[in-house]
Amino acid sequence: NKPLPSLPPNLIKLNLGWSYNHAIIELPSKLEILNLGHDYNHNLPNLPNTLRELYFERAFNQQLPKLPENLEILDFKYNVRYN
């Protein structure tokens, strides 16, 4: 598992997978769906205004950033312990 490369600006869905745990520096400006995966536990960058769905899995234990006004689904799975 390696840090993400620069992501395409038109990417609309990002699923980090089970064991991804590297900090995300910047998210694509048109991103609509973000699934942080099972092991992700880093602060998030600013979330794009286009984000509609945000999924947290088990390991996330960080302060939440400001949530976009267009967010429709905010899902905390398993035993997430966020600040």
Side-chain angles (χ1 to χ4, degrees):
N1 138 357
K2 297 180 181 181
L4 290 174
S6 180
L7 298 171
N10 291 329
L11 185 72
I12 59 169
K13 181 178 182 180
L14 178 60
N15 183 350
L16 294 180
W18 185 264
S19 62
Y20 188 83
N21 191 26
H22 294 279
I24 300 171
I25 305 304
E26 184 177 6
L27 292 168
S29 61
K30 296 186 180 186
L31 193 68
E32 295 179 10
I33 302 168
L34 176 59
N35 185 334
L36 293 173
H38 190 268
D39 289 342
Y40 189 83
N41 189 28
H42 293 277
N43 286 322
L44 289 171
N46 290 335
L47 300 173
N49 290 331
T50 55
L51 195 67
R52 295 182 299 106
E53 301 179 20
L54 178 56
Y55 300 91
F56 294 93
E57 300 277 347
R58 186 188 68 106
F60 189 78
N61 186 22
Q62 304 294 326
Q63 185 172 348
L64 290 174
K66 181 179 183 245
L67 299 175
E69 291 183 17
N70 292 329
L71 194 66
E72 298 171 1
I73 298 172
L74 178 60
D75 189 349
F76 294 97
K77 297 178 182 180
Y78 307 112
N79 59 337
V80 170
R81 303 166 307 275
Y82 66 92
N83 291 324

